[in-house]
Amino acid sequence: MEQKKVLVTGGAGFLGSHLCQRLVDQGHDVLCVDNFFTGSKNNVLSLLGKPNFELMRHDVTFPLYVEVDQIYNLACPASPVHYQFDPVQTTKTSVHGAINVLGLAKRVKARILQASTSEVYGDPEIHPQPETYRGRVNTFGPRACYDEGKRCAETLFHDYEQQHDLSIRVMRIFNTYGPHMHPNDGRVVSNFIVQALKNEPITLYGDGSQTRSFCYVDDLIDGMMAMMALEEDKTGPVNVGNPDEYSIRELAEKIVALTGSKSEITYRPLPQDDPTQRCPDITKAKKLLNWQPSTKLEEGLAKTISYFDQLLKISG
């Protein structure tokens, strides 16, 4: 395999750290860039000191001048708790960040992949969601800073491809979970696991009948790297996620069972614009990338529970 210089923005985050590990293991020269708003040096601790890994504190809303062959743009807080903390900055990260990394890719003629999101579909009217579905997003809602920021980033990627003949890749990531998730990020898997391990009440919003699909991080990184490696002129967007669908109540019950927790399930009102269902149509990923997830939910949850168990013991 040819060694490449690879830039990963948001590289110390949940997904970014797993991607950096995979790229370093394959012998690529990796530059990990992060402003550490939600990312953590602990996520890439095992990579520090390796000759083909470099860590840089930098915010993608400012230009970056480096020489690279490939760029993975993963920089943006992805959980409601974090992206709603400073919604203006969230939009800037998606939009200004896209402009800056695309400008870099244009200058150095690098292939660039945008980590987009299933949130571009909003609260969908069709199910499961194919890439042709244009979405139903509330531009004034509390999730809009993330949803619309990512939608605008996709537009920028497309326009840079058309206008500047850039080699782009756009993948829409559905719910992903695994080690290195932030323990306080407000996402259901991390929330439920932490609450269960502490024997605290598990918080369900609404009646728990809303559905999600959960993709284990290793499978997701497989799809992401397959997308970048694609030599054909196929830019996406491509859905990458697990089409197996579970209700939020089912997820909570599985986690209670796997942890042996004494936690009881409690119910709170459903937040505004929270999607009632979310599931990817991965027909395109199967055909284009020869990709589909292989990790069963129970297997992935067991690994994630083990990670959080260790994390909680260390933090006391």
Side-chain angles (χ1 to χ4, degrees):
M1 183 182 291
E2 181 190 354
Q3 185 189 41
K4 295 188 180 299
K5 295 176 182 175
V6 185
L7 167 64
V8 181
T9 68
F14 164 44
L15 293 180
S17 58
H18 284 274
L19 176 61
C20 285
Q21 181 72 61
R22 191 80 66 88
L23 290 165
V24 166
D25 288 347
Q26 289 186 356
H28 298 297
D29 196 0
V30 178
L31 173 59
C32 169
V33 165
D34 208 295
N35 69 350
F36 300 112
F37 174 56
T38 56
S40 168
K41 287 180 183 176
N42 287 333
N43 287 342
V44 291
L45 210 56
S46 63
L47 299 175
L48 296 175
K50 288 187 180 285
N52 59 331
F53 180 80
E54 184 180 354
L55 178 62
M56 177 191 295
R57 183 188 291 270
H58 181 83
D59 192 309
V60 294
T61 59
F62 297 94
L64 182 63
Y65 301 98
V66 292
E67 304 297 321
V68 291
D69 304 308
Q70 294 181 345
I71 302 168
Y72 290 85
N73 186 37
L74 276 63
C76 190
S79 72
V81 168
H82 291 136
Y83 68 62
Q84 290 172 12
F85 175 75
D86 188 343
V88 172
Q89 185 62 28
T90 296
T91 305
K92 282 182 175 179
T93 300
S94 284
V95 178
H96 291 189
I99 290 168
N100 287 330
V101 294
L102 285 163
L104 171 61
K106 177 188 166 190
R107 182 178 69 81
V108 300
K109 296 180 172 57
R111 180 175 296 174
I112 180 167
L113 181 146
Q114 167 69 359
S116 191
T117 173
S118 60
E119 295 297 332
V120 300
Y121 300 122
D123 190 1
E125 301 135 304
I126 62 173
H127 192 73
Q129 294 82 58
E131 291 85 353
T132 50
Y133 177 56
R134 295 185 180 180
R136 182 169 69 125
V137 177
N138 176 7
T139 60
F140 278 68
R143 305 169 76 97
C145 59
Y146 184 68
D147 301 356
E148 296 290 21
K150 289 287 192 176
R151 286 164 70 96
C152 184
E154 284 196 13
T155 302
L156 283 162
F157 269 69
H158 174 74
D159 289 345
Y160 263 80
E161 179 199 28
Q162 297 297 306
Q163 198 170 328
H164 301 296
D165 197 28
L166 222 58
S167 178
I168 71 157
R169 303 286 184 270
V170 175
M171 62 180 292
R172 291 176 177 164
I173 299 171
F174 281 69
N175 286 49
T176 307
Y177 70 99
H180 297 183
M181 289 185 85
H182 197 293
N184 302 314
D185 70 0
R187 289 189 253 200
V188 287
V189 173
S190 48
N191 263 13
F192 290 177
I193 290 175
V194 169
Q195 289 170 337
L197 288 171
K198 292 182 174 180
N199 291 308
E200 295 174 351
I202 288 182
T203 313
L204 259 67
Y205 293 91
D207 62 3
S209 64
Q210 65 271 38
T211 64
R212 295 291 185 272
S213 58
F214 301 101
C215 184
Y216 188 64
V217 62
D218 289 352
D219 291 334
L220 191 282
I221 298 302
D222 287 342
M224 185 177 285
M225 295 185 72
M227 186 85 189
M228 178 63 91
L230 199 64
E231 290 300 339
E232 301 169 48
D233 187 23
K234 304 285 186 184
T235 59
V238 176
N239 289 337
V240 178
N242 194 320
D244 293 342
E245 197 174 359
Y246 297 89
S247 74
I248 299 300
R249 193 189 305 111
E250 279 181 282
L251 176 71
E253 288 166 353
K254 281 182 184 292
I255 287 172
V256 168
L258 285 167
T259 54
S261 176
K262 298 182 178 67
S263 295
E264 294 184 356
I265 294 174
T266 59
Y267 296 87
R268 291 186 186 173
L270 196 66
Q272 182 185 342
D273 297 333
D274 192 62
T276 52
Q277 51 187 13
R278 183 62 63 67
C279 181
D281 180 333
I282 62 167
T283 305
K284 196 171 178 181
K286 285 179 180 178
K287 184 179 178 183
L288 199 61
L289 309 177
N290 192 28
W291 176 89
Q292 62 181 348
S294 60
T295 308
K296 297 297 181 190
L297 183 60
E298 287 79 3
E299 180 190 345
L301 284 176
K303 292 177 181 178
T304 311
I305 288 165
S306 176
Y307 168 78
F308 276 111
D309 192 33
Q310 288 297 115
L311 195 68
L312 292 174
K313 283 173 181 172
I314 291 167
S315 62

